[in-house]
């Protein structure tokens, strides 16, 4: 099971990113636990300078803007 964190203040892009993660995991048949992190201090401590950010199994893989769907699937399947 993969652990995914979506970092952001709760804006529309952050919500879309969370949905993209869940959709990609479903397409790939991967079990994921998605946690939303909205606390500004926690976001900064994770190294996210531009939201939304994504970490997979503790590794920051994306920050700023919506992720590319193909790259997102790659991060989840790695």
């Amino acid at each position: 099971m993969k652990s995914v964190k979506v970092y952001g203040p709760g804006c529309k892009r952050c919500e879309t990113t969370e949905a993209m993660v869940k959709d990609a995991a479903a397409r790939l048949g991967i079990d994921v636990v998605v946690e939303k992190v909205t606390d500004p201090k926690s976001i900064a401590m994770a190294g996210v300078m531009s939201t939304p950010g994504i970490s997979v199994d503790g590794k920051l893989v994306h920050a700023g803007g919506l992720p590319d769907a193909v790259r997102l699937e790659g991060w989840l399947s790695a």
Side-chain angles (χ1 to χ4, degrees):
M1 181 176 301
K2 297 273 185 182
S3 172
V4 178
K5 291 184 181 180
V6 176
Y7 299 93
C11 63
K12 183 67 176 166
R13 286 185 309 165
C14 300
E15 292 172 6
T16 301
T17 299
E18 179 183 13
M20 289 177 71
V21 168
K22 290 178 180 178
D23 289 344
R27 277 194 308 276
L28 295 169
I30 298 172
D31 290 330
V32 296
V33 174
V34 179
E35 177 185 350
K36 289 176 73 174
V37 179
T38 58
D39 175 58
K41 185 176 180 181
S42 296
I43 293 170
M45 291 194 61
V48 178
M49 296 307 190
S50 182
T51 61
I54 302 171
S55 70
V56 178
D57 292 335
K59 180 181 177 190
L60 184 65
V61 295
H62 176 78
L66 294 175
D68 177 74
V70 174
R71 294 183 78 194
L72 177 57
E73 288 181 2
W75 298 326
L76 293 176
S77 61

